[in-house]
Amino acid sequence: MAQTKRVSLLGATGSIGNSTLSLLKQRCDEMPDFKVVSLTAQKNVEALALAAIETKAEFVAIADDAKYSRLKELLHGSDTEVGAGEAGLNDAAARECDTLVSAITGAAALRPTLEGVKQGANIALANKESIVCAGKLFLEAARKFNSKILPVDSEHNAIFQVLDNEKRVEKLILTASGGPFRTTSLEEMKLATPEQAVAHPNWSMGAKISVDSASMMNKSLELIEAHYLFEMPQEKIDVLIHPQSIIHSLVSYDDGSVLAQLGMPDMCTPISYALSWPTRMPVPGVERLDLGKIGNLSFERPDLKKFKALEIARQALEMGSWGPNVFNAVNEIAVEAFLKKRIGFIDITSTTEKVLNRFASNEFGIMTDPVNFDDVFELDKQARRIAEEQIQA
Ligand code: NDP
């Protein structure tokens, strides 16, 4: 039997968290080659306790301190230790493990994910926001602590599977479904509700990433993620709309060859690849790709007038590493405001653009790149505050 892999999971009650748990439960039961070390959630204490019992996790942490006693109560009599708050989350990530799955939403994942990096664990990275806001520093830390970043985002996972850096890469091509508003007019998009925005045609995901997909902020964050992760200049990263979400991304080489990774849109495949890397493990539950049944795959270029986020992301990258830091923070605040119906759908992108430009015009002082993580957190905090003010204005 292969050596048992110790796995921790940040964001165990979310969409990625649930898919990861389904894989882990199967592997722990049928062939005990995985051991669950720690699990975390923000407030969903019932689901977290159930997951801890089912996986016999060593440690669980709930970010919301107020839920600590309820979690203790639910796990009374089990061997699982319990923690809470930011310290609890960091403890969960710092527990010795082979692979840390980072699946918390937003920049809130950065601190605990860094704990995993510091212990030299492999990081199965679903959370794109941490690499967007701290790109260079995050990768430097990974190199320093010998922590391997294994992308879980399906596009980056696809590129990771087919990228051969020894060969000359001409381009990375990130595919995008186009989201629920691909064929919607700009006028109609202005009236879009949160319910319409979260109704993704192909993927079932958490609310924040679903809204990001609808505005193409998700692809914009992915563009930045790919730039850092694969050390690729942004001019060499293209975005291509592919509504069926079968080709998860492509790498174009300078001999004219284009390599792609294909599969049904099911996050269990990239998660399992990251969990089992450098080998693969069977995932019987994933529907097999039958191209004969699908018949046609189609492609189109993104409409950059309708989905301005893609161009704003490129501008943010040109500004320096502070640009993506601000871009991400403002988007997080704007998405939250949209979900609470405080702003319209189009305002998400326009708020991000306005605040980014205010920073770029040195309204808040001359912008320089963060030199350490404290700078990243400080800028993130400031950008959130300015974004909130902009929304109120
Ligand atoms: P969900 O909203 O479904 O789940 C988020 C998880 O993180 C939950 O466990 C939630 O706990 C926890 N959480 C949220 N905020 C905090 C916080 N501030 N502190 C601690 N824990 C928190 O999100 P997804 O699973 O859809 O996405 C997670 C990450 O993975 C995102 O970065 C997303 O971009 C990325 N991703 C997701 C994909 C998908 O298919 N869903 C695909 C590719 C990437 P609770 O349930 O208690 O609120």
Side-chain angles (χ1 to χ4, degrees):
M1 190 183 75
Q3 205 189 356
T4 300
K5 237 183 210 180
R6 291 170 58 81
V7 179
S8 289
L9 170 56
L10 306 176
T13 50
S15 160
I16 293 286
N18 279 320
S19 299
T20 308
L21 281 174
S22 71
L23 289 165
L24 289 175
K25 278 188 255 176
Q26 181 203 336
R27 302 299 292 191
C28 293
D29 290 349
E30 290 168 18
M31 35 199 316
D33 47 5
F34 285 93
K35 166 84 189 94
V36 175
V37 179
S38 48
L39 302 173
T40 77
Q42 183 178 30
K43 54 185 179 329
N44 192 346
V45 77
E46 264 77 18
L48 182 62
L50 181 66
I53 292 164
E54 285 178 343
T55 61
K56 300 187 183 71
E58 291 174 10
F59 183 76
V60 287
I62 188 89
D64 182 350
D65 291 296
K67 308 269 180 181
Y68 175 72
S69 41
R70 177 70 184 136
L71 186 57
K72 282 284 274 185
E73 199 176 282
L74 287 165
L75 290 172
H76 179 74
S78 80
D79 291 333
T80 305
E81 292 172 59
V82 180
E86 196 180 324
L89 238 57
N90 292 341
D91 285 352
R95 287 225 159 193
E96 194 197 333
C97 67
D98 298 300
T99 304
L100 175 78
V101 182
S102 174
I104 286 175
T105 310
L110 182 54
R111 276 184 216 273
T113 305
L114 279 174
E115 292 298 323
V117 167
K118 282 187 207 154
Q119 61 149 309
N122 287 341
I123 307 294
L125 189 73
N127 174 277
K128 62 199 84 186
E129 293 91 341
S130 45
I131 208 161
V132 169
C133 64
K136 275 187 200 154
L137 293 169
F138 187 86
L139 290 165
E140 267 168 34
R143 270 192 290 272
K144 178 174 164 194
F145 294 103
N146 208 14
S147 162
K148 179 86 183 161
I149 309 297
L150 304 164
V152 167
D153 224 342
S154 59
E155 295 76 2
H156 305 73
N157 186 273
I159 291 172
F160 185 70
Q161 292 195 40
V162 296
L163 182 65
D164 183 350
N165 270 325
E166 302 296 306
K167 308 287 177 321
R168 286 167 33 176
V169 174
E170 236 168 33
K171 239 174 208 176
L172 304 181
I173 303 159
L174 295 172
T175 51
S177 70
F181 303 140
R182 182 174 64 89
T183 56
T184 306
S185 72
L186 188 57
E187 285 312 306
E188 284 171 304
M189 263 167 65
K190 285 182 184 161
L191 304 173
T193 63
E195 294 72 25
Q196 290 167 325
V198 297
H200 196 280
N202 303 342
W203 300 94
S204 159
M205 308 180 287
K208 196 259 176 182
I209 184 178
S210 298
V211 175
D212 283 347
S213 297
S215 63
M216 293 219 54
M217 274 290 180
N218 184 48
K219 211 48 55 182
S220 312
L221 295 169
E222 287 179 4
L223 193 153
I224 299 170
E225 181 185 7
H227 162 77
Y228 286 127
L229 208 51
F230 304 116
E231 296 178 286
M232 191 64 63
Q234 56 130 329
E235 315 79 77
K236 290 179 141 196
I237 309 173
D238 277 358
V239 172
L240 182 67
I241 305 290
H242 165 44
Q244 296 83 11
S245 301
I246 295 297
I247 299 182
H248 298 305
S249 277
L250 311 96
V251 178
S252 168
Y253 292 93
D254 72 351
D255 62 354
S257 297
V258 179
L259 269 60
Q261 185 259 351
L262 286 73
M264 294 304 284
D266 185 330
M267 286 307 294
C268 283
T269 299
I271 297 169
S272 77
Y273 189 75
L275 286 175
S276 57
W277 184 85
T279 58
R280 289 178 188 267
M281 65 187 193
V283 189
V286 167
E287 187 185 346
R288 274 18 186 186
L289 178 61
D290 181 348
L291 285 173
K293 189 169 144 200
I294 290 169
N296 292 305
L297 298 181
S298 58
F299 307 92
E300 63 200 41
R301 294 195 200 289
D303 180 343
L304 298 179
K305 286 207 179 81
K306 212 168 86 178
F307 297 108
K308 284 181 77 181
L310 285 169
E311 285 306 296
I312 304 169
R314 291 190 188 277
Q315 287 161 15
L317 272 173
E318 289 303 306
M319 291 170 187
S321 59
W322 67 264
N325 199 352
V326 170
F327 178 84
N328 177 69
V330 182
N331 178 53
E332 283 193 33
I333 294 297
V335 170
E336 223 177 272
F338 168 68
L339 287 171
K340 289 183 179 151
K341 304 197 175 173
R342 292 176 57 214
I343 59 171
F345 181 70
I346 295 293
D347 302 327
I348 299 173
T349 310
S350 63
T351 306
T352 308
E353 186 175 27
K354 275 184 204 145
V355 176
L356 190 65
N357 286 338
R358 287 178 65 192
F359 272 93
S361 67
N362 295 334
E363 184 180 331
F364 312 109
I366 294 173
M367 297 308 297
T368 51
D369 287 344
V371 295
N372 54 41
F373 286 104
D374 285 342
D375 289 351
V376 172
F377 295 125
E378 200 45 50
L379 182 56
D380 175 83
K381 211 160 97 187
Q382 187 191 11
R384 282 167 198 265
R385 186 171 48 75
I386 307 289
E388 188 51 51
E389 283 169 17
Q390 181 80 39
I391 286 167
Q392 278 175 25

